[in-house]
Amino acid sequence: MSFADVTCLIGTLCVWYLSFKLLKLVLDVIRTTLLGGNLDFRRYGEWAVVTGSTDGIGKEYAKQLAAKGLNIILMSRSQEKLDAVASEIESEHKVKTKVIKIDFSGGHEIYEPIAKELEGFEIGVLVNNVGFALPYPAFFHEVSVENIWRQINVNVMSTTMLTKLIIPSMVVRKKGIIINVASVAAIIPISLLGPYSGTKAFMDKLSESLQIEYGDKGIIVQSVLPCFVATKMSGIKTSGLFTPFPDSYVRSVLRKVGVSKQCHGYWPHDLQGFIASLVPVWLMRLVVMKGLLALRDEALEKRKEKKES
């Protein structure tokens, strides 16, 4: 076989491989679009718990689950915002709400009071959405110990401990839904956001383990890996094809519950994931590092100007 023949064979195999991956993406989108959206969430229990439920994606999960007839337990650290969202949900959807004011950056001591607050409620859906990220990218040695613990407590411990509190009753009833809102940073190492990326990878792997452990016990566990969504946390204020507002994003991802165990949740994000999978790892790391270094430098410059003004 000549060099030209070998080159042609390799090229043909590459084309077939890329075509297969693209076909799989299209079929997955079609499958979730056609088969998704039919789940009766009320069948799993009367109440849904949503953490980080006063803004962005969490607020939309609370509102859209209420629209499906579920009573909502809202958890966040702002009493004023909790009361406002609860009033909005009760007024628009005629369901019951309960608010629990809690700062998830606390340690293990915060979970005993939460357990008492949840006693007696038939919780069918748990959405672990609350999250914390640094305001701008930073080298690991620049991150304070306080902020490292905050990211671990908010992103990791809240997901782990709330699941630990709620899943036993789901096992007894042989039904339940747990949705862990992680991030695309769980599967793509994000330089200068190492602790955040690591905590989101933990959420994704915990979800995978729970799927194996409880899949035959009637419990659905879904890991959600969004790319950019136009929220206060992301700092994106306008919507675009790849940056939906939270209402569009959550409407899309809820259709995939019970269909996709791990998903980006929104077909343009699936496309982004597909394109990213084609990029060599070294190039992806280089692009991410350069982009986040630029954001870091810009943020530091703004801080410097603010101090001097």
Side-chain angles (χ1 to χ4, degrees):
M1 184 178 290
S2 67
F3 177 77
D5 291 335
V6 172
T7 303
C8 182
L9 176 61
I10 292 173
T12 302
L13 291 175
C14 287
V15 169
W16 275 104
Y17 174 72
L18 294 178
S19 299
F20 171 77
K21 290 196 69 172
L22 181 59
L23 178 61
K24 182 177 181 299
L25 170 66
V26 172
L27 290 177
D28 282 346
V29 171
I30 293 174
R31 178 176 62 91
T32 55
T33 300
L34 295 178
L35 301 181
N38 299 317
L39 195 69
D40 182 2
F41 286 83
R42 293 172 300 177
R43 186 173 67 83
Y44 291 83
E46 295 181 9
W47 291 82
V49 171
V50 184
T51 67
S53 51
T54 54
D55 286 298
I57 291 174
K59 181 178 178 180
E60 278 302 322
Y61 265 112
K63 290 174 64 176
Q64 293 190 32
L65 288 172
K68 295 180 183 297
L70 290 166
N71 301 317
I72 308 295
I73 298 175
L74 303 158
M75 291 189 183
S76 191
R77 60 180 177 171
S78 169
Q79 187 68 52
E80 183 180 357
K81 287 184 176 181
L82 282 167
D83 292 339
V85 174
S87 177
E88 181 182 346
I89 287 175
E90 290 182 3
S91 174
E92 291 183 4
H93 303 293
K94 311 305 178 186
V95 297
K96 300 175 186 176
T97 64
K98 176 181 174 62
V99 301
I100 300 177
K101 179 180 179 295
I102 194 72
D103 184 349
F104 283 107
S105 65
H108 65 86
E109 71 280 352
I110 70 173
Y111 292 98
E112 186 175 346
I114 292 176
K116 291 180 180 178
E117 291 272 13
L118 296 179
E119 283 181 4
F121 288 90
E122 185 187 68
I123 298 169
V125 181
L126 167 62
V127 181
N128 287 308
N129 165 77
V130 67
F132 174 74
L134 296 177
Y136 61 88
F139 285 95
F140 184 67
H141 73 272
E142 298 172 338
V143 182
S144 69
V145 171
E146 179 185 42
N147 274 333
I148 290 174
W149 274 113
R150 186 174 181 84
Q151 288 180 85
I152 292 172
N153 284 340
V154 174
N155 301 349
V156 170
M157 293 309 298
S158 69
T159 299
T160 306
M161 293 305 298
L162 282 176
T163 302
K164 174 67 174 173
L165 290 176
I166 292 172
I167 203 168
S169 63
M170 293 181 172
V171 172
V172 171
R173 292 184 288 110
K174 297 182 180 180
K175 55 185 177 181
I177 299 171
I178 298 171
I179 300 171
N180 293 328
V181 183
S183 166
V184 69
I187 55 176
I188 300 176
I190 307 296
S191 50
L192 304 183
L193 293 173
Y196 179 80
S197 182
T199 58
K200 293 302 182 178
F202 174 92
M203 292 178 68
D204 184 50
K205 282 301 177 183
L206 176 65
S207 302
E208 186 177 2
S209 296
L210 295 178
Q211 289 161 6
I212 297 168
E213 291 179 40
Y214 295 96
D216 62 350
K217 295 177 174 58
I219 299 173
I220 295 170
V221 182
Q222 183 188 58
S223 178
V224 182
L225 309 172
C227 298
F228 285 115
V229 178
T231 65
K232 184 186 296 184
M233 185 173 179
S234 70
I236 299 172
K237 298 180 180 179
T238 57
S239 174
L241 175 62
F242 296 105
T243 55
F245 281 129
D247 57 342
S248 298
Y249 180 79
V250 173
R251 189 176 302 112
S252 172
V253 76
L254 278 177
R255 293 181 59 85
K256 300 177 185 295
V257 178
V259 179
S260 297
K261 293 180 179 180
Q262 183 200 59
C263 64
H264 294 296
Y266 183 67
W267 77 261
H269 288 184
D270 290 327
L271 180 60
Q272 284 180 301
F274 170 73
I275 294 172
S277 71
L278 304 180
V279 178
V281 174
W282 66 267
L283 180 58
M284 175 66 70
R285 290 176 176 174
L286 178 64
V287 170
V288 170
M289 185 66 174
K290 291 193 69 172
L292 291 179
L293 271 175
L295 288 176
R296 171 183 175 272
D297 293 344
E298 181 182 344
L300 290 176
E301 185 63 30
K302 286 182 179 179
R303 291 186 69 182
K304 181 180 177 181
E305 292 174 356
K306 190 174 181 180
K307 284 183 179 180
E308 293 175 349
S309 62

